[in-house]
Amino acid sequence: MRLSRDSIVERFHSYGGEAQLIGGEFERLVVHADGRPLEYDEPQGVRWLLEQLADRFGWEPQMENGQPIALLRAGASTTLEPGGQVELSGRPHETVLGVAEEAMASMGELRTLFDGTDVHLVALGLTPYARIADIRFVPKGRYALMGPYLAQRGDMAHHMMKGTSSFQANFDFRDEADCAKKVDMLTALAPLTTAMFANSPVAEGRDTGLASTRALSWTRCDPDRCGVPPVLRDGYTHEAWVDYLLDVPMMFLKSEGAWADPQGRTFRTWMDRGIDGTLPTWDDWSLHETSVFPEVRVKRTIEVRGADACPLPIALGGIALWTALLYDERALDEAGQLAREFASVGTHNERFMAAVERGLHADVGRPYADWARDLVAIGAAGLGRSRPSERALLEPIEAMTTHGDHPGVAVSRIFAECTSPARCLRRVLY
């Protein structure tokens, strides 16, 4: 069947149901003791890492031009970000405890491989010591096209691609109305999420003075596909979301198995007029959906994206918080009300940049730490009602917001105290 706007919108309306599954995504910076990122082709480098995970732990390698670029196992994947960051995209779980078990198992495998070496897995939102210009892209065809394209769109695009690290999570929705309610709440609270998990104050060997240099890089990457596009600020609908995706210029496409430059054309143009005599398939559409990077992204599920990588207990606490807010109806209503109050103060950009600069120390209307405590209290009550066995996962977030400090506060202190990258990196491990 030939793709059309109507058929894509219809597919979005087919998504949904009563499932309340949770999928965690954990990006990890992999660096040497001196701060150099692990390179793909070096001895015991990223390629070796993927090969060892396949040989020793049962992952199935995915190849491109004869080189491993990803791994699959039991519904989960291990993939590479452009600068060699290693990401676990977990399978859907019924509980956050299942997400936690999977994440810890993945970390255990990586630690086993690097035991006795100078390689560290670092829980920061941005690689702290390496010069971004010195980091080489991993050999994935799409990155060869994305790199030049995004560099023309923003002066920190390569910081985002090669240096940043995050944790994210995926959640179900029942229908369009439920999706809109959740997306609108998450979008309004995106600056607060950024503040709560701000953990990237160091870049290229200096303290930037920012709470989240990672988040700053996203604001200076590509305004067409990053941040909070109007379709999210104006109230989510499936039709508006599809129109947004159809009109974002494509960065890449696949033609006869090879990556090709679409030369700025949109998916709508490809769908309506064809490119070089070809029309897109559903696989092409699925690939295109992965090429936009807003703070909240909708595919078959809702993906929450706006957090720096953090130590695993904090990351899991964040996922537990989002689970409570999205899957407990009372918590969803209360979080929605809080989101509307938060969004009434200033502009979204003002609220977001305050989070970038000061994290939980920001003040827009009232201190961000106060907003965060209110949000966490809503989540704690929601977990207590609907998932009491997972209530304890929220404790690291409660402790953090009680003190009013985002994770990067400790990182700045550690960086100032340490006389070498090796000492600093040992104190910011996953």
Side-chain angles (χ1 to χ4, degrees):
M1 180 182 69
R2 179 169 176 169
L3 269 67
S4 67
R5 176 187 182 274
D6 288 347
S7 66
I8 296 171
V9 171
E10 183 180 350
R11 174 165 286 201
F12 270 88
H13 280 288
S14 74
Y15 299 155
E18 295 305 314
Q20 293 189 337
L21 301 178
I22 309 138
E25 300 182 21
F26 304 89
E27 297 172 355
R28 284 74 62 100
L29 297 168
V30 188
V31 302
H32 291 282
D34 61 3
R36 289 179 298 115
L38 192 70
E39 293 194 358
Y40 186 85
D41 281 325
E42 69 174 281
Q44 293 188 301
V46 172
R47 176 175 182 151
W48 172 87
L49 166 64
L50 296 180
E51 291 171 342
Q52 291 296 306
L53 287 172
D55 290 344
R56 298 176 58 178
F57 298 105
W59 290 87
E60 178 184 347
Q62 305 297 294
M63 311 295 286
E64 185 174 301
N65 296 324
Q67 303 186 96
I69 58 165
L71 304 167
L72 301 178
R73 185 181 68 188
S77 64
T78 296
T79 57
L80 301 180
E81 294 298 302
Q85 310 96 309
V86 177
E87 178 178 6
L88 168 70
S89 295
R91 65 179 180 84
H93 293 270
E94 293 183 352
T95 67
V96 187
L97 290 171
V99 174
E101 182 178 355
E102 182 180 46
M104 288 186 287
S106 173
M107 292 300 302
E109 292 172 359
L110 295 174
R111 286 175 173 148
T112 296
L113 295 179
F114 290 123
D115 185 38
T117 75
D118 76 334
V119 176
H120 299 308
L121 304 170
V122 178
L124 294 172
L126 184 70
T127 192
Y129 288 101
R131 291 180 66 247
I132 298 300
D134 293 340
I135 302 174
R136 295 195 295 176
F137 284 103
V138 299
K140 292 178 67 170
R142 65 187 291 174
Y143 297 154
L145 295 169
M146 286 176 63
Y149 179 91
L150 290 176
Q152 295 176 350
R153 302 290 294 150
D155 66 336
M156 291 190 74
H158 282 196
H159 284 71
M160 178 280 290
M161 292 184 71
K162 298 192 289 184
T164 63
S165 182
S166 178
F167 77 89
Q168 301 157 16
N170 295 277
F171 298 93
D172 291 313
F173 54 88
R174 289 194 303 273
D175 51 27
E176 183 181 28
D178 185 54
C179 182
K181 186 176 183 179
K182 290 171 176 176
V183 169
D184 291 348
M185 180 269 289
L186 292 166
T187 299
L189 291 177
L192 187 58
T193 298
T194 295
M196 290 174 65
F197 303 108
N199 192 35
S200 50
V202 179
E204 298 190 340
R206 66 180 183 88
D207 194 314
T208 65
L210 302 173
S212 179
T213 314
R214 179 204 66 85
L216 178 68
S217 75
W218 281 104
T219 70
R220 289 160 54 179
C221 179
D222 182 356
D224 287 335
R225 66 189 72 245
C226 303
V228 180
V231 63
L232 296 182
R233 290 197 302 269
D234 296 343
Y236 178 88
T237 67
H238 287 334
E239 287 197 7
W241 180 249
V242 168
D243 283 333
Y244 162 66
L245 291 173
L246 287 174
D247 293 325
V248 171
M250 292 188 294
M251 291 187 291
F252 47 74
L253 57 85
K254 268 197 164 181
S255 177
E256 297 181 352
W259 295 98
D261 183 355
Q263 299 180 339
R265 284 173 284 197
T266 66
F267 200 92
R268 192 189 299 272
T269 297
W270 189 12
M271 189 173 63
D272 291 344
R273 303 178 192 171
I275 295 177
D276 295 331
T278 67
L279 293 169
T281 67
W282 282 113
D283 286 343
D284 295 317
W285 173 254
S286 296
L287 179 64
H288 178 61
E289 286 182 291
T290 69
S291 71
V292 298
F293 316 114
E295 295 295 296
V296 183
R297 184 165 66 182
V298 182
K299 296 188 286 186
R300 188 176 291 272
T301 58
I302 299 170
E303 182 180 9
V304 190
R305 299 173 44 80
D308 286 2
C310 290
L312 196 53
I314 293 176
L316 292 169
I319 294 173
L321 173 64
W322 289 325
T323 300
L325 300 180
L326 294 172
Y327 287 160
D328 180 85
E329 286 297 328
R330 180 175 169 185
L332 178 58
D333 287 338
E334 292 174 351
Q337 178 59 39
L338 186 72
R340 289 186 288 274
E341 294 170 7
F342 181 69
S344 70
V345 184
T347 68
H348 185 93
N349 185 63
E350 289 170 342
R351 294 188 298 276
F352 191 82
M353 291 309 299
V356 166
E357 293 167 5
R358 303 206 63 210
L360 285 181
H361 296 172
D363 190 321
V364 177
R366 60 190 179 110
Y368 274 38
D370 288 353
W371 290 106
R373 278 190 285 270
D374 288 349
L375 186 66
V376 172
I378 292 170
L383 286 177
R385 283 189 297 269
S386 55
R387 295 170 180 260
S389 64
E390 304 189 308
R391 172 66 179 79
L393 291 171
L394 201 56
E395 290 176 359
I397 309 301
E398 291 178 297
M400 185 179 74
T401 53
T402 295
H403 289 101
D405 286 342
H406 49 275
V409 172
V411 173
S412 287
R413 183 176 64 250
I414 290 168
F415 178 74
E417 293 171 353
C418 290
T419 57
S420 71
R423 289 186 178 183
C424 181
L425 292 171
R426 281 197 297 268
R427 295 175 64 182
V428 291
L429 302 179
Y430 262 95

